[in-house]
Amino acid sequence: MGERAKTVSAEEMGRQREFMELVRAENELLRKENGRQPSALVETYGCQQNEADSEQIRGMLRQMGYRFTDSQREADLIVMNTCAVRAHAEQRVLGNVGALTHAKRSNPDQIICLCGCMMQEGHMAEKMKRSFRHVDLVFGPHALWRFPELLQRRRAAGGRIFDVEDGPGRVAEGLPVYRQGKPKAFVSIMQGCNNFCSYCIVPYVRGRERSRMPEPILREVEMLVSEGYKEITLLGQNVNSYGKDIGAGVDFAGLLRRLNELPGEFLIRFMTSHPKDASLRLFQAMGDCAKVAPHLHLPFQAGNDRVLKAMNRGYTKADYLDLVREAREAVPGLVLTSDVIVGFPGETSREFEDTLDVLREVRFDALFTFLYSPREGTPAAKLPDPLSRAEKQENFDRLLNLQNEISARRHHAYVGRTLRVLVDGESGNEPYNLSARTAGGRLVHLSGDSRRIGSFVLAEITDASTWALFGAMKESLHENGVL
Ligand code: SAH
Ligand code: SF4
Ligand code: F3S
């Protein structure tokens, strides 16, 4: 597919702006009539990519003249942005959508909208249609950029709207974004996934990999930095394959280098890297670029080669360990984190020992651990799964205990060091009144001057736990600060 076919055209985006204007005018009228500006509540489930989508939804809503509320009862519009990655995420959504019947009974004009990955699954959209009749508007990630049109139509004509058509997906530039997370911002650099790991629903609901062009990404980051954002997280399901589909002569390592050249004091993070596409070029770019955080989230999922093959991951345990070695050589002080799935169908307790081996060899700084959850429509969901839930849980607990021990040791090694950290907010737990992050992404409970929120400061680390570091602010840093 050519670049043009994958990008939403300027005319189509222009039409959406017209729909936004229509809704805005109606909301303005309502405000004059009732003395009350219509309000919206956006709830997000799932990963950072979904958070970033919600920021675009809020951006569109704000442009359409909505204000925001935390109250389900008060809201004129509720948007639930859903996640399908594990059964637990879906159950939370279903429980919370079910509970919305109460809010709607007391406010029958309320519009309830469900969007996100779960709605792109055929059986879920069906379920909404049949069993959740209080839901008014349903759309999947592919239709996100058409939200103004869908909302305007629903408001004008009533009834129920479902827009969950499947497809490879497109790239929409220029949607408004409303961010609330200062000094941190997400910037999505690509959508979709081509990897089809056998357990994973994401490629089915998010479509094929499609990268944004480098120029709009550079402009967006430049703007964010000029607005005072200090930490930019580049998002994609597999950022290492950034650029492969657009023929713009830039890969992910190249994009990092270009972002690093932008003026200002800020830090660049990224999520997530797939080991099969992580390369020395990337590690060298990380090592060379002072503004790129020395943090690599490199999910390995499982340590056993047979299991990795059944997962369709495209690398072996030895490949993974080599990669880690290369990364550590190229990036001094690299912080490494990872994702692991316990209990993939057919994984024996003996095979699971290889996962523990990887933990012992790599000694990750932190780990995100998940019990395998069968996803309808994925190949793994059809595999025999003989291991009992109790055995899986036992393996899971062993994994956690081992990792907790490793994390605690790693964290204690920070004690006595003085590091540059970004103060990102208040914590409210005296004497550590602030929270901050190291360049490697470790959480620091910090005591110090709250006027430094949003700045890089020096922190002396005085204590550590399994989960976090503790310290005291030493001094604030300058634009050309050290470290
Ligand atoms: N694209 C990212 C991951 C997105 S999903 C990557 O490949 O790194 C985040 C994590 O959820 C995955 O890394 C995996 O560990 C976990 N996950 C995905 N599908 C799962 C399933 N069916 N059951 C349990 N965990 C799953
Ligand atoms: Fe899912 Fe694999 Fe794609 Fe990650 S790389 S989103 S785990 S299919
Ligand atoms: Fe969930 Fe979709 Fe993210 S399934 S993890 S919200 S890409």
Side-chain angles (χ1 to χ4, degrees), residues 88 93-94 122 152 168 175 180 195 201 208 242 315 317 404:
H88 177 70
V93 170
L94 291 176
Q152 197 278 334
L175 286 174
Q180 291 164 309
N195 290 316
I201 195 71
R208 296 294 65 73
Y242 170 80
Y315 55 87
K317 176 184 172 196
N404 286 348

Side-chain angles (χ1 to χ4, degrees), residues 262-317:
L262 294 176
E265 188 190 29
F266 65 100
L267 202 60
I268 304 162
R269 299 189 184 284
F270 55 89
M271 288 273 267
T272 296
S273 298
H274 192 302
K276 93 177 156 44
D277 302 308
S279 64
L280 190 58
R281 258 180 73 74
L282 167 66
F283 305 149
Q284 282 166 344
M286 291 175 73
D288 290 347
C289 296
K291 290 174 188 166
V292 176
H295 173 207
L296 188 61
H297 182 66
L298 194 65
F300 76 98
Q301 312 297 0
N304 180 267
D305 288 347
R306 188 201 65 80
V307 176
L308 283 170
K309 195 154 198 260
M311 286 179 162
N312 192 29
R313 288 292 287 179
Y315 55 87
T316 62
K317 176 184 172 196

Side-chain angles (χ1 to χ4, degrees), residues 398-413:
R398 285 180 67 202
L399 182 83
L400 273 192
N401 288 337
L402 175 58
Q403 182 56 42
N404 286 348
E405 202 184 301
I406 295 169
S407 295
R409 279 174 193 262
R410 280 210 167 273
H411 280 160
H412 275 100

Side-chain angles (χ1 to χ4, degrees), residues 45-47 49-50 82-85 117 201-202 205-206 237:
Y45 301 77
C47 61
Q49 193 99 53
N50 243 23
T82 65
C83 169
V85 80
C117 295
I201 195 71
V202 171
V205 294
R206 286 261 172 187
Q237 293 303 334

Side-chain angles (χ1 to χ4, degrees), residues 430-434 444-449 462 470-474:
E430 293 297 333
Y432 303 107
N433 53 323
L434 301 173
V444 186
H445 297 293
L446 195 67
S447 56
D449 184 347
T462 51
F470 300 83
M473 199 183 288
K474 285 196 75 167

Side-chain angles (χ1 to χ4, degrees), residues 461-478:
I461 306 301
T462 51
D463 202 357
S465 73
T466 309
W467 316 112
L469 309 173
F470 300 83
M473 199 183 288
K474 285 196 75 167
E475 57 178 284
S476 54
L477 277 177
H478 260 253

